[in-house]
Amino acid sequence: MIDETLSEKEQIRSAGLKVTHPRMRILELLENSSKAHLSAEEVYRMLIESDEEIGLATVYRVLTQFEQSGILQRHNFETGHSVFELDRGEHHDHLLCVSCGMVEEFHDEQIEKLQHEVAERYDFKTIDHSLTIYGNCKECKNGR
Amino acid sequence: MIDETLSEKEQIRSAGLKVTHPRMRILELLENSSKAHLSAEEVYRMLIESDEEIGLATVYRVLTQFEQSGILQRHNFETGHSVFELDRGEHHDHLLCVSCGMVEEFHDEQIEKLQHEVAERYDFKTIDHSLTIYGNCKECKNGR
DNA sequence: ATACTGTTGATAATCGTTATCATTTGCGTA
DNA sequence: TACGCAAATGATAACGATTATCAACAGTAT
């Protein structure tokens, strides 16, 4: 979960990481992206298009570090690759359009509560949970 | 969703597939397994151990065909590989122990209903949905 | 039994991701 | 400000899971 009042530099520092060129560029990119959910390959391509000489290995490494320090969240939808988004603190679930790939976020307190009850019922210590609804969005449902 | 009253042979036939040795063995294995959720590699290894000469490529192919014809369900938990289980019709969600890999199934009608409401709220046509709770099971939570 | 088409198995290829390692770079210290 | 060193980088090899290729083989309708 990030503190929006911290600058990129401060966020990276407080994650215990050196403030380097690749890390700054990647964090800026995530914060300025119009798409909330990006894959490593997408981040890499966007950097290349901005004439940044950042290797693919570095992109994967930095994204993983950002995830581990809580700057980013990683999601594994059923697409065969991970996508990342800024962790803004509020837990949410996803609606994913299988036609156009669009991702919509939602939060439902009632569902959250029921999930905790289920975990309790099975004597499970919840670490994380993910709920994704796959389907067709408004646009794709009708024409396209 | 499979009809339990159909024999393996009939299930394969009604999927529009030829009744072959590998398909029979794989379906039998799934139906007799004590573990409900198996990966392609696990199925392959179990076949090898039963002295079955079935190639890994065939295992992947058959599992995919069984999934497409509704005999199996495929799940992509956050483990990096797919697992398969017989589709018995009743939708359910999963509790996954990140320590021992144990998978527990549950069904909560209330959660189902709330998910439909969310989809409606966003004008989404639901095709599928998956809810997985990651954590530590009863055993792993305490000693191990 | 025959023929035709789907299926199989060995293996190469692919995809997303991680490991390796020589070179470079932040950054605390002198 | 220059120095030194551990941490970080980038090119690329390696990896694990899965899919494609293709010649040999096997169900099944006739």
Side-chain angles (χ1 to χ4, degrees):
Chain A
M1 142 173 36
I2 66 173
D3 182 342
E4 284 291 0
T5 65
L6 291 179
S7 69
E8 283 98 2
K9 219 176 262 194
E10 290 168 322
Q11 285 185 64
I12 295 172
R13 278 230 183 74
S14 57
L17 299 167
K18 283 188 183 173
V19 177
T20 62
H21 181 76
R23 286 180 183 144
M24 285 296 285
R25 287 300 108 68
I26 292 173
L27 185 49
E28 284 167 11
L29 192 157
L30 266 297
E31 290 187 340
N32 299 328
S33 169
S34 57
K35 250 184 101 180
H37 303 78
L38 295 173
S39 69
E41 293 281 349
E42 281 175 321
V43 169
Y44 177 66
R45 258 181 261 120
M46 288 166 81
L47 289 168
I48 295 296
E49 279 165 22
S50 328
D51 289 308
E52 293 291 342
E53 302 278 321
I54 296 178
L56 181 57
T58 301
V59 173
Y60 274 102
R61 259 188 314 243
V62 170
L63 289 175
T64 301
Q65 292 161 343
F66 282 1
E67 183 208 357
Q68 287 169 347
S69 63
I71 295 174
L72 297 180
Q73 261 187 274
R74 178 196 297 259
H75 301 294
N76 295 291
F77 300 134
E78 314 233 339
T79 48
H81 59 259
S82 298
V83 295
F84 299 84
E85 68 172 323
L86 289 174
D87 188 341
R88 296 201 158 77
E90 335 94 27
H91 169 81
H92 59 257
D93 297 307
H94 298 93
L95 289 153
L96 194 151
C97 177
V98 298
S99 298
C100 67
M102 192 259 275
V103 182
E104 185 101 55
E105 302 177 353
F106 73 91
H107 179 83
D108 189 304
E109 201 47 60
Q110 183 106 40
I111 292 179
E112 296 297 316
K113 208 170 72 184
L114 288 166
Q115 284 181 54
H116 287 134
E117 286 175 21
V118 168
E120 245 165 60
R121 197 183 311 152
Y122 285 88
D123 208 352
F124 237 71
K125 184 180 181 313
T126 299
I127 292 173
D128 194 14
H129 55 263
S130 81
L131 165 57
T132 306
I133 299 177
Y134 299 88
N136 287 116
C137 68
K138 197 173 173 171
E139 281 72 36
C140 295
K141 211 174 59 169
N142 313 317
R144 64 161 33 229
Chain B
M1 141 172 37
I2 64 176
D3 182 341
E4 285 292 359
T5 63
L6 292 179
S7 69
E8 284 96 2
K9 218 177 264 193
E10 289 167 323
Q11 285 184 63
I12 295 172
R13 278 233 182 74
S14 57
L17 299 167
K18 282 187 184 175
V19 178
T20 63
H21 181 77
R23 288 182 182 141
M24 285 296 285
R25 290 297 110 68
I26 292 173
L27 185 50
E28 282 168 13
L29 192 157
L30 266 298
E31 290 186 340
N32 299 327
S33 169
S34 57
K35 250 184 103 181
H37 301 79
L38 295 174
S39 69
E41 293 282 348
E42 281 174 319
V43 169
Y44 177 66
R45 258 181 261 120
M46 290 165 80
L47 290 168
I48 295 295
E49 278 163 24
S50 326
D51 289 309
E52 293 291 344
E53 303 277 323
I54 296 178
L56 181 56
T58 301
V59 173
Y60 275 103
R61 257 188 314 241
V62 170
L63 290 175
T64 301
Q65 292 162 341
F66 282 0
E67 183 209 356
Q68 287 170 347
S69 62
I71 294 173
L72 299 179
Q73 261 188 272
R74 178 197 297 258
H75 301 294
N76 295 291
F77 300 135
E78 314 232 340
T79 48
H81 59 259
S82 298
V83 296
F84 299 83
E85 68 172 322
L86 289 175
D87 187 341
R88 293 199 160 78
E90 337 93 27
H91 170 80
H92 58 258
D93 297 308
H94 297 92
L95 288 153
L96 194 151
C97 176
V98 298
S99 298
C100 67
M102 192 259 276
V103 182
E104 184 101 57
E105 302 178 353
F106 73 91
H107 179 83
D108 189 302
E109 202 46 61
Q110 183 107 39
I111 292 179
E112 297 295 317
K113 208 170 70 183
L114 287 166
Q115 286 182 51
H116 288 134
E117 286 175 21
V118 168
E120 244 166 61
R121 198 184 311 150
Y122 285 88
D123 208 353
F124 237 70
K125 185 180 180 314
T126 299
I127 291 173
D128 194 15
H129 55 263
S130 81
L131 165 57
T132 306
I133 299 177
Y134 298 89
N136 288 116
C137 70
K138 198 173 173 172
E139 282 72 36
C140 296
K141 211 173 61 169
N142 315 314
R144 68 160 30 228

